[in-house]
Amino acid sequence: MNTCEVRQSFLDFFVDRGHRRYDSAPLVPHGDPTLLFVNAGMVPFKDFFLGVETPPQPRAVSAQKCLRVSGKHNDLENVGPSLRHHTFFEMLGNFSFGDYFKAEAIEFAWQLVTDVWGLNPDHLFASVYEEDDDAYELWSKISTLPAERIVRGGKADNFWAMGDVGPCGPCSEIHIDRTPDLPQVAWQEGSSSGRYVEIWNLVFMQYESDASGQLRPLPNPSIDTGAGLERVSAILQGVDSNYDTDLFQPILMHAADLAGTTYGRDTAVDVSLRVVADHLRAVAFLLADGVIPSNEGRGYVLRRILRRAVRHGMHLGLQEPFLHQLLPTVSEVMGAYPELSAAEKASQGSIKTEEEKFLSTVTSAARHVQDAIETSRREGRRRLDGETVFRLYDTFGLPPEMLREIAEEEGFELDDEGFKRALDAQRQRSRRDTSRAQELSSSLRVVLSAKGELPIVSFVGYRDLELEGALVLRLARLEAKGDFTAVESLSAGEKGVLVTESTPFYPEGGGQVGDRGTADSQNSTVAILDTRKGGSGLIFHTIQVEEGEIGVGDSLRMRVDEDRRRRTESNHTATHLLHAALRQCFGDSVRQAGSLVHPDRLRFDFTHDRPLTEDDRRRVQDVMAKWVRRAVPMKIGERAYNEAVEAGAMALFGEKYGDRVRTVEIPGFSLELCGGCHVGNTGEIGGVRLLSERGVASGVRRIEAVTGWGADQLAYKERDLLRDVEGQLGVPIDGAAGEIAALQARLKEAEKETSKLRLQLLSSGEEGADEVEVEGVKVVSREVAAAPSGELRNMADVLRDKLGSGIVVLGARSRDRVNLVVSVSADLTSRVNAGALARRMGSLVGGNGGGRADFAQAGGKDPALLPGALTAVASAVEDELRAQRG
Ligand code: ATP
Ligand code: MG
């Protein structure tokens, strides 16, 4: 069976048994900033298990893309040496949401494994939780496993929990003996040596754990299972390693080819080839799911995986970018995921850029490592301290393993402990930042749920901006410390959060800001300052009570700030126009990478490998303007997800889509899945102006634009600026450029004239007034009006020539600076060096100086010191003469 057939056989088996089939969700989990990546098949179904959402069918089956590189499940370091761990892998799973339980789950698994897949029951083991007698009994009854191959395990292996609180329960795993011909060994020995491999884990969710760790039985126990597709394939293809399956062989061969080596000959080479093949799969899927390499969060993980692959490529002798060349092989092998081929061109570009950047980083970082080593060596240490290691790692992205290699070559060691401390400190800083918003809404949920189950709020704001009779369900007061308390009422002056049964207020999401407005009850007036999603269908209004008192049970009249909302809608639709216009102008490699839709302006990030020229920007704006002028009625509605995608709808990364999706269509031009608010007709946008375009990350550009109202404001502002220019110049704007050129010519002329006059003034100065003789050497020192340094030099030379043989020191000061020049006639340079004299002068004005023997300059920051310094010239010359003699 090839891997496609294995995957299909699993899905078919459960579809035949009444399971609803789900496509894999994107690797980026929807609406959960605390979880970086989907790491198990159950993640997209969390809300079904928690009971906050009702599944359309109580049984489900999926092959889910998973990534285990961070948090609780992190197999990154294991990848390479291990023959059965990957960063990216597919998890096959069947799920029951309060429907069937242990008996059926075990029966299904046994039937599939032995009947459909035909595995030899004599090679299988089942593990159960030590206290789970039910599971033990069921395995003995349903399977043909003898007692010694049904083993009991402890909490670590056989008890599963979604988090510290929430659903949990015992689990039961199916293991297979990879070398059944050898004499059997004890369970412990076989599983720790990797001979007995876990292929499938069945989780029996039967309890709910509260904050104190107390377990309560769930009213409707559920089933969540996960089998690693790569491991099952290896077994069904009769090979010992996941990497010997049809999923990995073509990639390994291609990589080996590029490196001029073969897989399967040398252990170290094999480890590197496995890392390259594994990591490239992860990179390909992350990019296809919209993650962009960056220095934080998900983008950082992507970057690290990619760099680890490049580094192993270097071990293989690959010094040039190579990963991107392997990508087509990955898309081909993973043909079941069309998103890979769709993103292939763009992904190749991003990978190549990252590879190039990393390779050059490594070269320059290696220099910094050398410097750090030299410094430590001078200080008599043979060890790089943790802070330094962290800095090299953090600023140059140099992996610690690589640092270690360089250091060891120099006989240095790394302070691992210190490095770990610095790293942990940074991790904590970043964790604090990312989870704040999430924490706020989850703590609010907890506070509000104390009063009973939380509702799903109905949003009516696509149609209505005003709502009569909205029932107040919950109120929370914002306390001085920044936390919330659930309350029955809020009175004038108080701030808090309001939950109503339904609302016309759009909660921030999909890049669009939350609505503001007002709400009135019989006894109160309330300002709604912001609207946010509270998770699982909740909508939070941040409010301040202006007058009277609002209470739970009140009936409200809610009014969205219409002007603000209309401007936002115009910007939102314009964002879709911009997206489509960019694709029309630059092709399908342009993908949305983020957006912000605000009432005053819009911001759109997209993948593109170079800056837009002025001409490009005009083309894009013209395309948008054309669709505005066409005044096309928008088509907004719901349809089946598959239908929408087939029609070419652009599904955006990170969004979770149900079966029915909302599509926003500008007929003939753009079709997107979008939950935001839009104009009814493109003509309402009025006009579009692109403000700026710049790069925000490698391969990602950002455009800012304004529409309608915002475009008018911009035009007014520009008009005002032009009027100001006209007023200043005293000519109409058409003549402004000519007038400015004429002014500049006149200014230059005047400067030349001034400089001539200054020189004349200098030479007509009273001869000898500031001239002294030091040991027979004529010395002139003088303060002159501030002038450019070239001119000071001219003046000094003129004076020196007048002296014939002698030394001239001129000083000039501006508000916060002193400049000095020193000129020495050729016959004297052996006695007085201009550079040395300038250094002395520099120190007298709080700065420094230097230069050639005949001419030098000095400067300082303290203008008040200049007169004193000039008075001291004679004695400085004297010192210098003495120094030269001595
Ligand atoms: P292991 O102990 O082998 O790391 P696990 O206990 O972490 O596995 P589960 O979390 O129970 O695994 O995941 C369910 C199934 O997913 C496993 O039985 C295995 O087949 C597969 N799996 C888990 N982690 C990986 C991985 N890193 N690479 C490939 N498959 C994996
Ligand atoms: Mg594991």
Side-chain angles (χ1 to χ4, degrees):
M1 263 204 228
N2 67 33
T3 303
C4 261
E5 290 161 349
V6 178
R7 192 191 289 118
Q8 201 58 48
S9 66
F10 186 96
L11 297 170
D12 290 346
F13 180 88
F14 286 102
V15 168
D16 288 347
R17 282 153 188 82
H19 292 63
R20 179 188 173 97
R21 201 208 132 145
Y22 284 81
D23 282 336
S24 173
L27 280 172
V28 176
H30 175 75
D32 185 353
T34 57
L35 184 64
L36 279 185
F37 302 106
V38 170
N39 56 13
M42 59 79 62
V43 172
F45 303 116
K46 233 174 177 170
D47 280 353
F48 294 161
F49 283 118
L50 290 169
V52 292
E53 235 182 273
T54 314
Q57 233 167 283
R59 300 178 177 199
V61 61
S62 70
Q64 172 64 43
K65 303 184 272 191
C66 295
L67 196 68
R68 292 195 166 180
V69 291
S70 54
K72 192 169 131 206
H73 289 292
N74 187 346
D75 290 334
L76 184 68
E77 298 297 326
N78 224 340
V79 171
S82 167
L83 300 177
R84 59 195 167 85
H85 283 98
H86 308 292
T87 52
F88 170 87
F89 66 99
E90 292 174 71
M91 200 184 282
L92 305 168
N94 57 296
F95 309 93
S96 147
F97 312 116
D99 187 35
Y100 61 81
F101 199 44
K102 285 181 200 177
E104 291 89 332
I106 292 174
E107 190 150 354
F108 285 151
W110 186 251
Q111 211 184 344
L112 177 61
V113 166
T114 56
D115 286 356
V116 181
W117 288 343
L119 297 183
N120 186 342
D122 296 342
H123 303 166
L124 298 175
F125 295 83
S127 70
V128 299
Y129 180 49
E130 53 200 1
E131 293 171 18
D132 192 359
D133 294 331
D134 293 348
Y136 191 93
E137 290 306 317
L138 286 166
W139 275 112
S140 351
K141 216 170 72 199
I142 293 166
S143 77
T144 57
L145 291 174
E148 71 272 16
R149 278 194 280 117
I150 306 175
V151 295
R152 291 177 187 259
K155 260 215 148 101
D157 287 322
N158 289 89
F159 199 89
W160 179 92
M162 195 184 279
D164 293 338
V165 294
C168 56
C171 60
S172 181
E173 301 163 339
I174 301 177
H175 294 246
I176 188 163
D177 184 354
R178 299 297 302 124
T179 46
D181 299 338
L182 298 178
Q184 282 225 356
V185 295
W187 164 249
Q188 270 311 327
E189 188 187 333
S191 50
S192 61
S193 70
R195 171 172 165 181
Y196 303 157
V197 173
E198 173 192 336
I199 53 171
W200 198 349
N201 191 357
L202 316 177
V203 177
F204 311 131
M205 267 184 228
Q206 66 187 94
Y207 304 111
E208 181 161 19
S209 158
D210 65 18
S212 67
Q214 197 78 26
L215 298 185
R216 265 188 306 139
L218 282 173
N220 299 309
S222 291
I223 291 293
D224 149 33
T225 85
L229 174 66
E230 296 76 6
R231 292 189 192 179
V232 175
S233 269
I235 284 150
L236 295 185
Q237 293 174 16
V239 291
D240 280 342
S241 147
N242 293 359
Y243 292 89
D244 290 332
T245 62
D246 60 334
L247 273 178
F248 283 93
Q249 276 297 309
I251 311 173
L252 289 167
M253 267 152 59
H254 193 172
D257 225 35
L258 289 184
T261 174
T262 24
Y263 181 70
R265 283 224 200 112
D266 175 291
T267 318
V269 168
D270 288 354
V271 166
S272 289
L273 284 170
R274 285 198 289 265
V275 169
V276 167
D278 172 276
H279 287 15
L280 183 58
R281 287 185 358 133
V283 166
F285 276 99
L286 284 170
L287 287 167
D289 279 348
V291 180
I292 286 161
S294 77
N295 277 333
E296 54 185 32
R298 300 188 171 105
Y300 185 55
V301 173
L302 165 57
R303 180 166 274 172
R304 266 186 52 212
I305 298 176
L306 193 147
R307 291 180 165 189
R308 194 162 182 262
V310 173
R311 208 159 41 76
H312 279 271
M314 294 168 81
H315 289 327
L316 295 168
L318 291 160
Q319 299 293 343
E320 299 289 321
F322 68 98
L323 271 180
H324 64 282
Q325 298 176 38
L326 297 171
L327 196 62
T329 309
V330 175
S331 327
E332 204 182 307
V333 172
M334 300 303 289
Y337 294 92
E339 65 261 39
L340 284 191
S341 342
E344 187 175 297
K345 258 190 73 201
S347 300
Q348 261 189 319
S350 318
I351 295 176
K352 184 150 181 261
T353 315
E354 280 292 310
E355 288 189 87
E356 282 164 351
K357 227 164 52 188
F358 183 57
L359 288 168
S360 80
T361 297
V362 167
T363 325
S364 74
R367 252 198 329 270
H368 289 278
V369 179
Q370 288 293 355
D371 287 350
I373 288 178
E374 285 316 314
T375 315
S376 301
R377 211 198 299 281
R378 269 199 303 278
E379 288 164 5
R381 284 180 285 130
R382 319 215 99 254
R383 171 181 193 170
L384 287 181
D385 65 274
E387 283 295 328
T388 307
V389 176
F390 178 75
R391 187 174 48 79
L392 289 166
Y393 160 83
D394 195 44
T395 31
F396 303 107
L398 201 64
E401 304 88 64
M402 199 154 194
L403 256 167
R404 188 184 315 282
E405 275 169 32
I406 304 176
E408 275 170 6
E409 278 168 24
E410 298 284 333
F412 265 66
E413 53 178 48
L414 304 188
D415 170 11
D416 289 315
E417 288 286 300
F419 172 64
K420 227 181 120 278
R421 269 197 306 277
L423 195 63
D424 284 346
Q426 189 219 33
R427 286 210 180 116
Q428 269 184 0
R429 282 194 297 275
S430 69
R431 200 169 310 141
R432 263 205 303 278
D433 294 346
T434 52
S435 58
R436 255 228 306 293
Q438 168 79 5
E439 253 169 36
L440 196 66
S441 89
S442 59
S443 75
L444 251 172
R445 287 184 65 88
V446 171
V447 165
L448 293 175
S449 62
K451 307 244 158 175
E453 202 172 317
L454 290 168
I456 288 182
V457 178
S458 111
F459 173 67
V460 300
Y462 290 133
R463 206 185 47 239
D464 306 320
L465 297 191
E466 247 188 81
L467 180 65
E468 291 276 2
L471 185 67
V472 177
L473 296 178
R474 295 283 199 290
L475 286 167
R477 184 171 55 224
L478 175 63
E479 306 293 356
K481 289 190 310 263
D483 51 359
F484 291 92
T485 334
V487 291
E488 286 301 311
S489 66
L490 284 174
S491 44
E494 289 187 309
K495 278 192 176 186
V497 166
L498 159 73
V499 177
T500 49
E501 195 171 30
S502 51
T503 179
F505 282 71
Y506 180 81
E508 180 182 331
Q512 182 183 329
V513 299
D515 276 334
R516 292 184 191 160
T518 54
D520 306 301
S521 69
Q522 222 168 4
N523 314 315
S524 70
T525 308
V526 169
I528 297 184
L529 309 173
D530 194 12
T531 312
R532 281 182 298 121
K533 287 183 185 156
S536 308
L538 257 191
I539 296 178
F540 291 144
H541 305 89
T542 309
I543 60 166
Q544 166 146 23
V545 183
E546 308 268 305
E547 273 170 40
E549 188 179 86
I550 178 177
V552 171
D554 283 0
S555 156
L556 297 180
R557 171 176 172 171
M558 304 179 79
R559 255 175 307 187
V560 174
D561 177 340
E562 180 169 353
D563 181 45
R564 185 172 180 275
R565 165 71 94 78
R566 295 296 178 220
R567 286 193 261 134
T568 309
E569 290 175 349
S570 163
N571 283 336
H572 202 153
T573 309
T575 308
H576 290 208
L577 281 178
L578 176 55
H579 191 186
L582 286 167
R583 286 170 77 96
Q584 180 174 321
C585 293
F586 308 114
D588 290 349
S589 64
V590 169
R591 281 186 304 142
Q592 174 162 358
S595 72
L596 173 70
V597 180
H598 190 269
D600 298 345
R601 78 207 130 83
L602 67 96
R603 193 174 80 195
F604 187 76
D605 293 350
F606 60 103
T607 54
H608 194 51
D609 53 7
R610 57 180 185 278
L612 302 195
T613 61
E614 192 53 45
D615 206 45
D616 288 339
R617 282 169 61 166
R618 265 187 211 180
R619 259 165 69 214
V620 171
Q621 185 173 310
D622 282 347
V623 172
M624 294 173 74
K626 188 174 82 187
W627 285 92
V628 170
R629 282 192 297 267
R630 280 191 184 170
V632 190
M634 305 280 292
K635 268 169 69 182
I636 301 181
E638 281 201 354
R639 51 180 111 179
Y641 178 83
N642 291 341
E643 225 174 273
V645 171
E646 260 157 47
M650 284 183 276
L652 293 187
F653 110 81
E655 298 293 320
K656 176 172 148 195
Y657 299 107
D659 287 332
R660 305 284 301 166
V661 290
R662 185 165 180 267
T663 51
V664 173
E665 184 174 8
I666 303 167
F669 191 47
S670 151
L671 176 62
E672 293 197 26
L673 304 185
C674 175
C677 303
H678 290 269
V679 297
N681 181 305
T682 59
E684 292 169 40
I685 295 172
V688 191
R689 292 277 305 274
L690 301 194
L691 293 177
S692 65
E693 189 270 345
R694 65 191 172 91
V696 285
S698 94
V700 185
R701 316 287 311 169
R702 168 171 296 173
I703 284 182
E704 292 195 301
V706 289
T707 69
W709 178 88
D712 286 346
Q713 303 311 304
L714 178 65
Y716 296 146
K717 200 169 121 198
E718 286 170 344
R719 186 64 225 155
D720 288 346
L721 283 173
L722 291 178
R723 282 235 170 85
D724 196 20
V725 172
E726 285 179 338
Q728 299 280 341
L729 289 172
V731 297
I733 201 69
D734 290 346
E739 184 62 24
I740 289 172
L743 275 175
Q744 269 169 344
R746 271 183 5 233
L747 181 62
K748 222 166 173 179
E749 197 53 42
E751 272 167 1
K752 256 210 252 141
E753 193 64 20
T754 324
S755 130
K756 216 163 76 199
L757 288 172
R758 254 191 243 132
L759 277 179
Q760 269 174 22
L761 200 63
L762 196 68
S763 28
S764 67
E766 218 179 302
E767 298 280 328
D770 44 11
E771 185 181 316
V772 293
E773 258 192 38
V774 181
E775 301 189 24
V777 174
K778 281 187 270 184
V779 179
V780 171
S781 57
R782 192 179 292 179
E783 176 170 355
V784 295
S789 71
E791 205 178 304
L792 272 184
R793 176 181 187 156
N794 280 344
M795 291 190 220
D797 288 348
V798 166
L799 278 180
R800 188 203 58 206
D801 290 348
K802 257 175 83 180
L803 284 179
S805 166
I807 297 172
V808 174
V809 177
L810 295 184
R813 46 183 160 170
S814 57
R815 199 160 36 80
D816 54 357
R817 240 199 110 64
V818 196
N819 288 312
L820 290 147
V821 292
V822 177
S823 184
V824 177
S825 59
D827 59 312
L828 293 173
T829 51
S830 60
R831 295 178 62 201
V832 178
N833 184 300
L837 188 55
R839 247 190 319 279
R840 286 180 192 275
M841 300 312 300
S843 69
L844 292 174
V845 293
N848 43 41
R852 299 199 315 252
D854 60 340
F855 179 80
Q857 286 170 293
K861 292 205 174 67
D862 195 345
L865 295 175
L866 182 63
L870 289 173
T871 319
V873 167
S875 64
V877 169
E878 207 176 323
D879 289 345
E880 200 48 38
L881 283 167
R882 199 174 312 126
Q884 286 303 317
R885 263 201 315 275

